[in-house]
Amino acid sequence: MTSGNNIESEYLNLNSKNGWELLYQQIRSDSSKYSNTCLEAIKPQNKVLNRYRDVSPFDHSRIVLQRGSTDYINANLIKIERANRQYILTQGPLPNTIAHFWLMVWEQNTKAVLMLNKLVEKKQEKCCQYWPIKIGADYIMKLDDVGLTLEYLEQQDHSYYLTRLLRLTDVKSGESREILQFHYITWPDFGVPNSPTAFLEFLRKVQAAGVLESDVGPAIVHCSAGIGRSGTFCLVDSCLILIEKFGLNSVDVKDILLEMRRYRMGLIQTPEQLKFSYQAIIEGAKQFTKSPADSQNCNSDQVELNSVSENCNHSSDEEDESPPLPPPRLDSLNRMTYEGPPVNRPLPTIPNSASLSDFNYDDNGSIEDLQNPPSGPLPVLPGEDEESSADELEDESIRTSSPVSDKSDTINGHHDSISPQAELRHRKRIERQEQLAERVRDMKRRQMANEQWTQLKRPKTARRD
């Protein structure tokens, strides 16, 4: 890799000038000059197959189905030649397009489906469930219109994303293929993941599965409309591949996004998603340049953007090691400037996008430091996803769990078989667990406050993701 810092310098310059909105509008303006048509999408018989009226596939790159009752599906093939990458970006299936979706998977020889949204978001359906409702042969989905069946084989929970294994079978030939589904469940509509590093971990898992390589059919990537979150994922993946091959100076993020927009309209829907793409690309490039010693030192000055599953604070007693904390939430208010290090220093710490975790807004619009958060649960705003109950149950399980029972060590009010040193260690373990539980609850309260503030701030327009 070359020693240039073009993307880093561009990011710092844009951040210092609050230039993300301007850059995003420039990209929209440049891509609006493309002379691509969407004639198939507006045909009367195909209009009912589109989830959103304003998101249509370009005719020149649309996926054409070979059998069944129609050749139309709202999906485009995206090609990034220099990165040797191809993706199929599509909308979240509708009830009447599930069969078309799986026929596309079969005909394109796809090995994986990447789902970046939840089925329901903000109390609105963003995608219907296009796989069987339960695991097992008793719940096989029959797609008679296209001559396929789908069986749900297994599921694995990876905290902030799920993987599912499905078996797709062609009824006529009897041939079966196993399809992987990677389901990212913590990426908010019109927003960005909480941590660039956690997102990169998800991306690396997908890459490691080999489903994005050129020797298999293109992976199918979708959110609700198949342009916002889906575009963000493909942009970051392509840029990181190019950086790994040709060096940091070889990549112009804006040009690559404009190239992608030649194949499908509207890729990346908000300035926030564009900013997050830069953050993830810079953090991913930083991972390429780490030496073996860097990866072993656990120095907070080396890596400040930690994923949810990373923790460099090891206890002297290995059995007392605490679970990892959520990643630090840094400054991202647009009106605050970021003063980065000199250009010749290593890549900078990139603040988590859309994170207002260090600040809260009271009813009068003033800023309150959240280092001393108010006690008690935060109210759930109208339209907010009702997920806090699960978080509170998780907090309660942390708060009430203890690796050692006090009663088992106490006889007649004193410790007969426990040395003072062991008792002291035990008390410290309890204190650490209580402190950890309180910090986790504090982090979650901050996240809820951020989401509620963002919901209130967002203009109520009919945008789609």
Side-chain angles (χ1 to χ4, degrees):
M1 177 182 293
T2 61
S3 59
N5 289 320
N6 284 352
I7 299 178
E8 173 192 352
S9 301
E10 184 182 1
Y11 174 88
L12 294 175
N13 182 51
L14 287 166
N15 220 38
S16 65
K17 296 179 179 179
N18 290 330
W20 297 106
E21 178 69 31
L22 178 60
L23 176 61
Y24 177 70
Q25 293 303 331
Q26 288 175 347
I27 291 171
R28 290 188 63 184
S29 176
D30 291 346
S31 59
S32 67
K33 299 174 184 177
Y34 300 154
S35 57
N36 295 321
T37 62
C38 302
L39 300 179
E40 287 295 325
I42 61 176
K43 289 183 177 180
Q45 68 270 26
N46 293 336
K47 284 184 178 180
V48 296
L49 305 179
N50 298 317
R51 178 170 288 276
Y52 301 114
R53 290 178 298 176
D54 56 348
V55 181
S56 301
F58 291 143
D59 292 320
H60 77 94
S61 59
R62 76 179 183 94
I63 298 297
V64 179
L65 303 177
Q66 302 300 316
R67 71 189 192 199
S69 59
T70 181
D71 72 352
Y72 177 81
I73 186 171
N74 192 315
N76 293 99
L77 178 65
I78 313 297
K79 298 180 181 179
I80 308 297
E81 301 290 352
R82 290 180 62 217
N84 199 24
R85 278 288 203 250
Q86 295 189 72
Y87 318 89
I88 293 175
L89 269 62
T90 186
Q91 66 184 16
L94 294 160
N96 59 330
T97 66
I98 293 176
H100 308 153
F101 179 88
W102 286 112
L103 179 60
M104 175 172 64
V105 172
W106 182 265
E107 291 182 343
Q108 297 296 321
N109 197 30
T110 293
K111 300 302 180 185
V113 174
L114 313 183
M115 180 177 180
L116 306 178
N117 62 293
K118 292 187 288 188
L119 297 176
V120 176
E121 295 171 336
K122 300 183 179 72
K123 299 184 179 179
Q124 294 182 355
E125 181 185 282
K126 294 303 181 99
C127 175
C128 74
Q129 181 163 335
Y130 55 89
W131 62 93
I133 58 174
K134 291 184 179 180
I135 294 174
D138 294 336
Y139 301 95
I140 289 178
M141 181 181 288
K142 296 182 179 180
L143 309 169
D144 295 330
D145 181 37
V146 295
L148 297 171
T149 63
L150 184 69
E151 182 179 355
Y152 188 1
L153 300 179
E154 63 180 66
Q155 172 183 297
Q156 294 183 2
D157 190 339
H158 304 273
S159 179
Y160 63 99
Y161 71 94
L162 307 171
T163 56
R164 299 184 179 96
L165 184 62
L166 306 161
R167 179 183 291 128
L168 187 60
T169 301
D170 181 20
V171 175
K172 184 176 181 179
S173 67
E175 180 185 355
S176 293
R177 301 174 190 165
E178 290 188 350
I179 310 297
L180 269 174
Q181 184 199 47
F182 292 85
H183 187 182
Y184 203 117
I185 57 177
T186 56
W187 194 335
D189 192 16
F190 283 101
V192 297
N194 288 333
S195 165
T197 313
F199 167 77
L200 287 170
E201 181 184 344
F202 173 79
L203 173 59
R204 298 303 187 201
K205 293 293 185 182
V206 175
Q207 292 175 337
V211 298
L212 300 175
E213 300 301 323
S214 58
D215 59 346
V216 297
I220 292 176
V221 187
H222 79 85
C223 42
S224 184
I227 56 177
R229 288 170 276 190
S230 300
T232 303
F233 177 92
C234 296
L235 178 63
V236 173
D237 177 59
S238 293
C239 287
L240 289 179
I241 292 298
L242 290 172
I243 289 172
E244 192 171 17
K245 284 185 174 182
F246 306 111
L248 198 62
N249 284 339
S250 67
V251 173
D252 186 313
V253 178
K254 177 183 174 183
D255 285 350
I256 294 173
L257 179 54
L258 286 172
E259 182 181 352
M260 291 172 58
R261 280 183 166 224
R262 292 183 181 275
Y263 296 95
R264 186 168 174 84
M265 64 169 58
L267 299 185
I268 296 190
Q269 274 205 286
T270 66
E272 185 183 31
Q273 289 177 347
L274 181 61
K275 178 180 179 180
F276 176 82
S277 298
Y278 273 78
Q279 293 173 344
I281 292 166
I282 292 173
E283 177 64 16
K286 189 192 313 184
Q287 293 175 4
F288 294 150
T289 61
K290 286 180 184 177
S291 67
D294 291 336
S295 62
Q296 296 175 4
N297 285 337
C298 285
N299 189 333
S300 60
D301 292 333
Q302 296 284 334
V303 183
E304 294 186 17
L305 284 172
N306 296 317
S307 76
V308 176
S309 63
E310 293 173 341
N311 182 18
C312 293
N313 299 320
H314 296 288
S315 170
S316 58
D317 294 328
E318 293 184 1
E319 69 275 14
D320 296 341
E321 181 175 341
S322 301
L325 291 173
R329 305 289 298 270
L330 306 178
D331 164 57
S332 66
L333 285 174
N334 287 335
R335 61 177 172 271
M336 299 182 69
T337 60
Y338 177 83
E339 297 181 1
V343 173
N344 62 350
R345 290 185 58 185
L347 289 169
T349 297
I350 303 303
N352 286 341
S353 208
S355 65
L356 298 171
S357 58
D358 293 335
F359 300 92
N360 190 20
Y361 287 78
D362 60 20
D363 295 337
N364 297 322
S366 62
I367 300 177
E368 299 176 341
D369 191 342
L370 276 185
Q371 291 185 357
N372 298 308
S375 60
L378 291 170
V380 177
L381 297 176
E384 190 74 13
D385 290 345
E386 299 178 352
E387 300 172 346
S388 59
S389 58
D391 292 339
E392 291 173 2
L393 286 175
E394 181 182 347
D395 291 342
E396 185 65 25
S397 67
I398 295 175
R399 185 166 56 252
T400 58
S401 64
S402 175
V404 180
S405 172
D406 291 337
K407 293 181 180 180
S408 65
D409 295 335
T410 306
I411 302 176
N412 298 325
H414 65 281
H415 296 268
D416 290 340
S417 59
I418 303 297
S419 67
Q421 293 82 0
E423 182 179 357
L424 179 59
R425 285 198 301 271
H426 173 61
R427 289 178 180 175
K428 288 184 177 180
R429 283 200 298 269
I430 298 297
E431 290 175 0
R432 282 197 296 272
Q433 288 179 335
E434 291 175 351
Q435 292 171 358
L436 173 63
E438 180 57 32
R439 293 175 69 183
V440 170
R441 288 194 295 273
D442 183 43
M443 288 288 185
K444 290 184 176 179
R445 282 196 294 267
R446 294 185 186 190
Q447 183 178 1
M448 289 174 61
N450 300 339
E451 292 173 353
Q452 292 165 355
W453 183 90
T454 303
Q455 177 69 21
L456 289 174
K457 180 182 175 184
R458 182 180 298 130
K460 296 182 178 179
T461 59
R463 298 185 299 173
R464 308 296 183 191
D465 187 18

